[in-house]
């Protein structure tokens, strides 16, 4: 009788004990779950009761402390009225009764600590030293609240320099209704929790005070509670401020499994489950053995029919004992024809000497592990290349009964391999002829280990390699990230690009391409030098055009100095002057001399070629100085300059000399644009918009305006609409504004003319402080 014809075992034989075992496990699980739920419920009630008692304990201590602080404040009030000084006695009594209190002190109306009492028997972190001003934000808030309400106030918790969290109780001190300060008791919250609960409570609970967001700010233990099971939290009044008291119960041994009845039930359950398991295992053994044999046969047949590799088995004499369908399909012969054949086999080529030698290697067990490449002839006499792998065939008793060989057609893989080799040679040839240094290395390789380098890479970097890509910053996106690198050996500049690519083996490698950019760097340096020279030349040209205005600006303080001196001399000669009358005149002479010196200094700084220095400066002064420089030229052209500045205290981060140069250039361009207008229409309007950061400055003229096609190129280098212009003024102005992290552009005016606008960053308080520190540090 065949295996598939044998009777099957009824499913009820093994299904019945399985169902019984499942039902019993469910019943026992429900029983233990009910016991566990009852135990958890009782534990939660106990936690809630203990937390409420703990909250009442802390509340009573805080309220008692508040009453005692109020009594001390009354004693201070009596001392202010002439009574005895009882502060030290009362404060020491309070510190002795409530050891969690860190200090007791008296703060006057100017928030200075005038009296201080500390615990005598233990170290204490003094938050506010004697005769020091209280500057803590939370202390300041509680101090002000006590002054306003004339009632005791609990401060919000705050963090001291010792990283301990404190809370203060402020009780006001008054004299005849006038606020004279407060009496303050400082309480570390950790000490409050440590002193408020007995050791038995601490062994069971981790108690902490949390803020409104649930974050712990104080705890009675320093370790984390990893075995916490139950917790409860309640609002903490006083001190309020959203604080809550949270208690977490440590994991304790349950009484459930210490009960003898529970152990008995558990033991019987294990015995019953073990019995069910044996019965179930016994019922499954026969069914599993039958199914295994059937599955083995079906699996073997399915594997034979699905694999594309030809399988052939031979005995120790070389006779074919088995072939699979794939082997038959490769050779063109049927299984019936091949099984039982002895060498020479019909699928051997005509010259079978090589095949015989391979068969001898297989039968003697000397076949190479990497396989044997052979040629196989099909039934239609076509030949293909194949690779054969050999392994010993062992029977059920462990004895070798033959050899199993697997055969794979490698005709197509060999063709693909040859094409890939040819493509690789072409790829290498192209890279060798490139005008760039190309290298490929693994992201995990050592410092100078490369997978591939081309000819130029070997020539350029024989002694100095570009910096390697750091492992910590490995490229994650397949995009180029160029950077420039100077080769100290060849003294040349290179632009290096890197990219993460997938190599032929699937690994991620880094491709690096370096291009010689020495000529470009030299051109950039020359362009930068020319730009600096043009900027300096522009300054000199602007200075020459404003020479008469500067002379007029200097003559005014000199004339004022002369007049003041002559008046002083005349008074001295007449003998009717006193030093008190002469002093204001001399001060005015000094102011005019300083003004003349400032004008000369601005001229020197304007002409001097130096790096821009940004610092907080008044925008109104920059605008006034620029208008002062340009006023004479505006008068000569019959024009006037109007300025609208909403706030004269606006400060910007800028170099005032450079911004003056920009404003003077824009004013000068506006004056030249209005030469064709009547004098009464020649107006330059300067308006400052400071309602937001950055500040925007607008310079408007009423000229002909700038056409759209010219406006697009107005700020380009060497572009000008003037016959005598250099085309660098507006380009330099834009460079200056962009250095100041601003923008410069032009818009058409609503009616006619143009509006040149630029922005400057507003100086913040931090910028001003940094500038003051920088100036102070200078010798």
């Amino acid at each position: 009788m065949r295996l598939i014809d044998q009777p099957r075992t009824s499913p009820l034989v093994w299904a019945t004990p399985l169902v019984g075992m499942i039902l019993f496990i469910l019943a026992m699980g429900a029983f233990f779950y009910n016991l566990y739920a009852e135990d958890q419920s009782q534990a939660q009630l106990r936690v809630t009761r203990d937390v409420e008692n703990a909250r009442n304990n802390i509340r009573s201590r805080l309220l008692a402390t508040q009453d005692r602080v109020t009594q001390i404040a009354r004693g201070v009030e009596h001392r202010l009225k002439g009574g005895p000084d009882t502060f030290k006695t009362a404060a020491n009594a309070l510190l002795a009764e409530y050891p969690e209190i860190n200090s007791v002190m008296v703060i006057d109306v100017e928030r200075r600590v005038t009296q201080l009492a500390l615990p005598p028997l233990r170290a204490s972190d003094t938050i506010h030293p004697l005769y020091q001003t209280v500057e803590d934000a939370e202390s300041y808030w509680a101090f002000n609240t006590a002054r306003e309400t004339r009632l005791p106030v609990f401060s919000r918790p705050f963090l001291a320099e010792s990283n301990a969290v404190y809370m203060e109780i402020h009780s006001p001190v008054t004299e005849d209704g006038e606020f004279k300060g407060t009496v303050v008791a400082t309480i570390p919250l950790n000490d409050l929790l440590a002193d408020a609960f007995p050791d038995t409570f601490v062994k069971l609970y981790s108690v902490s005070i949390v803020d409104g967001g649930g974050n712990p700010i104080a705890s009675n233990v320093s370790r984390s509670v990893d075995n916490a099971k139950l917790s409860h939290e309640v609002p903490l009044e006083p001190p309020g401020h959203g604080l809550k008291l949270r208690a977490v119960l440590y994991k304790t041994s349950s009484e459930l499994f210490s009960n003898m009845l529970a152990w008995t039930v558990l033991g019987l359950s294990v015995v019953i489950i073990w019995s069910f398991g044996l019965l179930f295992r016994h019922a499954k053994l026969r069914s599993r053995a039958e199914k295994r044999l059937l599955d083995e046969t079906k699996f073997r047949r399915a594997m034979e029919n699905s694999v594309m590799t030809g399988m052939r088995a031979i005995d120790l004499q070389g006779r074919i004992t088995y072939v699979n369908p794939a082997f038959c399909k490769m050779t063109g012969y049927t299984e019936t024809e091949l099984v039982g054949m002895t060498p020479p086999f019909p699928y051997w080529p005509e010259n079978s000497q090589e095949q015989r030698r391979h068969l001898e290697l297989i039968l003697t067990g000397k076949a190479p592990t990497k396989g044997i490449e052979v040629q196989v002839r099909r039934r239609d006499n076509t030949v293909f290349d194949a690779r054969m792998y050999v392994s010993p065939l062992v029977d059920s008793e462990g004895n070798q009964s033959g050899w199993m060989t697997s055969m794979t057609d490698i005709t197509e893989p060999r063709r693909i391999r040859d094409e890939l080799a040819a493509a690789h040679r072409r790829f290498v040839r192209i890279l060798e002829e490139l005008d760039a240094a190309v290298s490929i290395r693994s992201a995990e390789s050592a410092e100078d280990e490369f997978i591939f380098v081309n000819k130029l890479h070997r020539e350029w970097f024989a002694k100095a390699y570009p910096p390697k890509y750091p492992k910590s910053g490995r490229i994650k996106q397949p995009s180029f990230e160029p950077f420039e690198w100077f080769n100290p050996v060849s003294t040349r500049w290179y632009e290096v690009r890197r990219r993460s690519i997938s190599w032929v083996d699937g690994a991620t490698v880094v491709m690096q391409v370096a291009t010689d950019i020495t000529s470009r760097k030299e051109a950039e340096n020359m362009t930068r030098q020319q730009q600096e020279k043009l900027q300096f030349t522009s300054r000199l040209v602007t200075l020459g055009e404003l020479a008469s205005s500067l002379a007029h600006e200097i003559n005014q303080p000199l004339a004022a100095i002369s007049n003041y001196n002559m008046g002083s001399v005349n008074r001295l000669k007449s003998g009717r002057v006193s030093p008190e009358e002469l002093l204001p005149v001399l001060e005015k002479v000094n102011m005019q001399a300083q003004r003349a010196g400032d004008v000369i200094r601005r001229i020197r700084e304007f002409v001097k070629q130096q790096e821009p220095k940004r610092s907080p400066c008044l925008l109104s002064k920059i605008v006034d100085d620029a208008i002062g420089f340009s006023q004479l030229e505006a008068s000569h052209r019959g024009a006037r300059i109007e300025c609208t500045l909403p706030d004269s205290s606006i400060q910007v981060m800028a170099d005032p000399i450079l911004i003056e140069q920009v404003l003077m250039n824009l004013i000068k361009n506006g004056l030249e644009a209005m030469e064709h207008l009547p004098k009464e229409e020649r107006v330059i309007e300067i308006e400052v918009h400071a309602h937001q950061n950055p500040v925007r400055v607008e310079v408007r003229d009423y000229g002909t305006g700038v056409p759209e096609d010219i406006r697009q190129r107005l700020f380009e280098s060497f572009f000008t609409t003037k016959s005598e212009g250099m085309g660098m003024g507006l380009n330099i102005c834009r460079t200056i504004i962009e250095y100041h992290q601003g923008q410069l552009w032009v818009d058409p005016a609503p009616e006619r003319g143009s509006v040149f606008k630029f922005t400057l960053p507003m100086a913040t308080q931090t910028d001003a402080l940094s500038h003051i520190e920088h100036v102070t540090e200078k010798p």
Side-chain angles (χ1 to χ4, degrees):
M1 183 173 59
R2 295 183 303 172
L3 181 62
I4 57 175
D5 296 332
Q6 294 181 358
R8 299 291 184 90
T9 303
S10 174
L12 294 177
V13 175
W14 55 266
T16 300
L18 178 61
V19 172
M21 184 171 58
I22 293 174
L23 292 176
F24 181 79
I25 292 174
L26 292 177
M28 290 298 101
F31 172 73
F32 283 108
Y33 177 78
N34 288 333
L35 290 179
Y36 176 77
E38 181 66 23
D39 183 69
Q40 290 294 308
S41 176
Q42 294 297 328
Q44 183 63 49
L45 291 176
R46 184 172 64 254
V47 170
T48 303
R49 183 184 65 251
D50 292 345
V51 173
E52 292 291 344
N53 294 335
R55 191 259 305 269
N56 293 334
N57 188 16
I58 292 179
R59 184 174 182 272
S60 62
R61 294 182 75 92
L62 291 178
L63 291 177
T65 303
Q66 175 183 323
D67 293 340
R68 295 291 294 277
V69 172
T70 303
Q71 293 176 6
I72 296 174
R74 298 295 176 264
V76 175
E77 292 177 2
H78 293 159
R79 182 184 61 81
L80 294 177
K81 296 177 180 179
D85 186 3
T86 60
F87 170 76
K88 284 292 184 179
T89 303
N92 290 333
L94 177 62
L95 292 172
E97 183 175 356
Y98 297 101
E100 69 268 13
I101 300 178
N102 178 272
S103 63
V104 181
M105 54 190 169
V106 178
I107 302 175
D108 62 11
V109 71
E110 295 180 357
R111 305 195 312 278
R112 294 177 302 181
V113 180
T114 59
Q115 297 189 65
L116 178 64
L118 300 174
L121 298 180
R122 68 176 184 179
S124 175
D125 297 328
T126 302
I127 304 301
H128 308 297
L130 190 60
Y131 304 121
Q132 296 293 323
T133 303
V134 177
E135 299 294 345
D136 297 327
E138 301 302 336
S139 296
Y140 184 61
W141 174 87
F143 179 85
N144 284 340
T145 304
R147 177 168 55 185
E148 293 173 359
T149 61
R150 303 299 173 88
L151 296 173
V153 177
F154 284 86
S155 72
R156 290 185 289 263
F158 60 92
L159 184 66
E161 295 181 356
S162 60
N163 291 329
V165 180
Y166 289 83
M167 178 182 65
E168 293 180 348
I169 303 176
H170 286 250
S171 181
V173 178
T174 60
E175 181 183 3
D176 296 331
E178 182 181 357
F179 180 78
K180 292 297 184 179
T182 62
V183 175
V184 183
T186 304
I187 303 175
L189 295 184
N190 284 338
D191 293 348
L192 176 63
L193 295 178
D195 296 335
F197 307 115
D199 293 339
T200 56
F201 189 86
V202 175
K203 291 179 180 180
L204 291 177
Y205 296 95
S206 169
V207 185
S208 59
I209 297 177
V210 299
D211 57 15
N215 302 311
I217 59 177
S219 177
N220 66 333
V221 293
S222 59
R223 58 189 175 87
S224 61
V225 183
D226 297 330
N227 58 350
K229 291 296 182 181
L230 300 174
S231 64
H232 185 66
E233 60 181 43
V234 292
L236 192 58
E237 291 286 349
H241 306 299
L243 298 181
K244 297 180 179 181
L245 183 67
R246 176 191 293 169
V248 181
L249 179 66
Y250 294 120
K251 181 180 179 181
T252 58
S253 60
S254 175
E255 299 178 357
L256 176 64
F257 292 101
S258 62
N259 191 299
M260 184 61 67
L261 177 62
W263 279 107
T264 303
V265 173
L266 181 62
L268 293 176
S269 300
V270 171
V271 172
I272 294 175
I273 293 175
W274 180 69
S275 301
F276 277 139
L278 290 179
L279 182 60
F280 177 77
R281 180 173 178 273
H282 179 74
K284 288 285 293 181
L285 283 177
R286 182 175 179 179
S287 177
R288 185 177 300 172
E290 296 175 356
K291 188 175 183 301
R292 185 184 300 114
L293 293 177
L294 293 176
D295 291 343
E296 286 286 344
T297 303
K298 293 179 180 179
F299 176 77
R300 181 174 176 273
R301 179 58 62 183
M303 183 176 61
E304 293 174 358
N305 296 333
S306 62
V307 297
M308 301 299 296
T309 302
M311 306 295 295
R312 180 199 65 178
I314 58 176
D315 58 16
L316 296 178
Q317 289 74 36
R319 183 186 304 274
I320 297 177
T321 58
Y322 165 79
V323 290
N324 69 339
F327 189 91
C328 298
K329 185 177 180 180
M330 286 181 179
T331 59
Y333 295 95
T334 63
E335 180 182 359
T336 304
E337 294 173 336
L338 293 176
V339 173
M341 277 189 177
T342 57
F345 302 122
Y347 51 81
W348 282 0
E350 294 180 357
N351 186 9
S352 58
Q353 296 298 327
E354 186 72 13
Q355 298 285 359
R356 288 185 178 275
R357 187 175 63 83
H358 290 159
L359 182 60
E360 292 177 0
L361 291 176
I362 294 173
L363 295 177
T364 56
K366 298 179 180 179
T369 57
K370 64 179 181 180
I372 303 173
E373 290 190 5
V374 296
Q375 286 189 333
V376 179
R377 185 179 63 179
R378 298 188 180 92
R379 196 180 191 111
D380 57 1
N381 291 327
T382 59
V383 179
F384 64 93
D385 296 322
R387 180 179 294 274
M388 299 180 66
Y389 296 91
V390 182
S391 61
L393 188 62
V394 181
D395 58 16
S396 58
E397 298 179 357
N399 300 322
Q400 181 176 350
S401 59
W403 301 91
M404 176 65 72
T405 59
S406 61
M407 185 173 66
T408 306
D409 188 348
I410 62 172
T411 303
E412 187 65 17
R414 175 173 288 181
R415 182 186 64 80
I416 295 175
R417 184 179 60 188
D418 294 341
E419 291 181 356
L420 287 177
H424 176 71
R425 290 192 296 271
R426 292 193 296 269
F427 169 75
V428 173
R429 180 63 180 273
I430 293 173
L431 292 181
E432 291 289 348
E433 299 300 327
L434 284 178
D435 292 334
V438 181
S439 65
I440 297 175
R441 69 180 185 86
S442 173
E444 303 293 337
S445 66
E447 186 69 16
D448 296 330
E449 294 182 1
F450 291 90
I451 299 176
F452 171 81
V453 293
N454 69 343
K455 180 176 64 177
L456 275 184
H457 190 280
R458 293 189 294 271
E459 294 176 358
W460 287 355
F461 309 127
K463 298 181 179 180
Y465 291 100
K468 302 300 184 297
Y469 198 85
K471 295 182 179 181
S472 60
R474 204 166 294 156
I475 299 176
K476 297 181 179 180
Q477 299 295 333
S479 59
F480 281 89
E481 297 182 0
F483 65 92
E484 296 178 355
W485 175 72
F486 179 74
N487 189 346
V489 178
S490 62
T491 65
R492 300 189 68 82
W493 282 93
Y494 298 93
E495 182 181 69
V496 183
R497 295 174 179 267
R498 290 184 174 132
R499 187 182 184 184
S500 176
I501 62 174
S502 179
W503 196 236
V504 293
D505 58 355
T508 299
V509 298
V510 177
M511 180 177 68
Q512 181 172 275
V513 181
T515 308
D516 192 337
I517 59 170
T518 305
S519 58
R520 190 184 77 186
K521 294 290 291 185
E522 293 175 352
E524 291 176 355
N525 292 334
M526 185 177 298
T527 302
R528 179 175 52 80
Q529 295 173 3
Q530 294 295 332
Q531 184 77 7
E532 294 175 354
K533 292 179 180 178
L534 286 173
Q535 182 176 353
F536 180 66
T537 304
S538 175
R539 291 182 180 176
L540 295 180
V541 171
T542 305
L543 180 64
E545 294 176 352
L546 301 178
S548 60
S549 175
L550 297 175
H552 175 72
E553 189 75 16
I554 297 174
N555 283 334
Q556 287 182 349
L558 293 179
I561 292 171
S562 177
N563 292 335
Y564 287 134
N565 285 336
M566 289 302 298
S568 300
V569 170
N570 292 334
R571 286 194 174 190
L572 289 173
K573 288 180 178 180
S574 64
R576 300 192 307 270
V577 64
S578 63
E580 291 78 9
E581 295 176 347
L582 189 60
L583 183 60
V585 177
L586 295 178
E587 290 177 349
K588 293 181 179 180
V589 171
N590 183 41
M591 290 176 58
Q592 295 298 327
Q594 290 181 356
R595 180 184 175 190
D598 291 339
V599 172
I600 296 174
R601 178 183 54 79
R602 289 205 306 270
I603 296 172
R604 290 186 58 200
E605 292 179 349
F606 185 78
V607 178
K608 184 179 180 181
Q609 185 174 5
Q610 62 181 3
E611 290 297 324
K613 297 179 181 179
R614 296 193 300 161
S615 62
C617 53
L618 289 174
L619 181 59
S620 59
K621 187 177 183 304
I622 297 176
V623 176
D624 292 342
D625 290 344
I627 294 176
F629 277 122
S630 306
Q631 190 64 50
L632 185 59
E633 182 176 358
S635 300
H636 290 165
R637 295 179 181 269
R640 66 182 187 276
I641 302 175
E642 298 178 354
C643 178
T644 302
L645 184 62
D647 187 358
S648 60
S649 63
I650 299 172
Q651 287 190 334
V652 294
M653 284 296 295
D655 187 325
I657 300 300
L658 294 180
I659 303 303
E660 286 178 16
Q661 180 182 356
V662 172
L663 277 172
M664 288 189 295
N665 199 327
L666 298 179
I667 293 173
K668 177 176 175 293
N669 290 343
L671 293 175
E672 293 176 353
M674 296 187 297
E675 288 182 345
H676 64 286
L677 297 178
K679 291 185 177 181
E680 61 274 8
E681 298 182 7
R682 300 177 185 178
V683 180
I684 297 292
E685 297 179 354
I686 301 176
E687 187 174 358
V688 178
H689 299 271
H691 57 278
Q692 61 182 3
N693 192 8
V695 179
R696 187 174 79 252
V697 182
E698 298 182 358
V699 180
R700 175 177 178 172
D701 63 73
Y702 288 86
T704 56
V706 183
E708 178 65 25
D709 54 341
I710 297 178
R711 194 184 311 143
Q712 301 296 331
R713 302 184 57 196
L714 196 59
F715 297 96
E716 294 181 3
S717 301
F718 305 107
F719 177 80
T720 180
T721 58
K722 306 173 186 178
S723 58
E724 70 282 0
M726 297 175 57
M728 290 301 296
L730 289 177
N731 179 264
I732 293 175
C733 289
R734 171 172 278 187
T735 302
I736 292 173
I737 296 300
E738 289 178 350
Y739 168 79
H740 287 79
Q741 300 177 358
Q743 294 181 343
L744 172 62
W745 71 97
V746 59
D747 289 332
E751 297 177 0
R752 70 173 187 271
S754 301
V755 182
F756 284 83
K757 305 176 182 179
F758 64 89
T759 60
L760 292 173
M762 190 179 297
T764 62
Q765 186 177 3
T766 304
D767 297 331
L769 294 176
S770 300
H771 177 67
I772 293 174
E773 293 176 357
H774 177 70
V775 173
T776 306
E777 291 174 359
K778 289 185 177 180

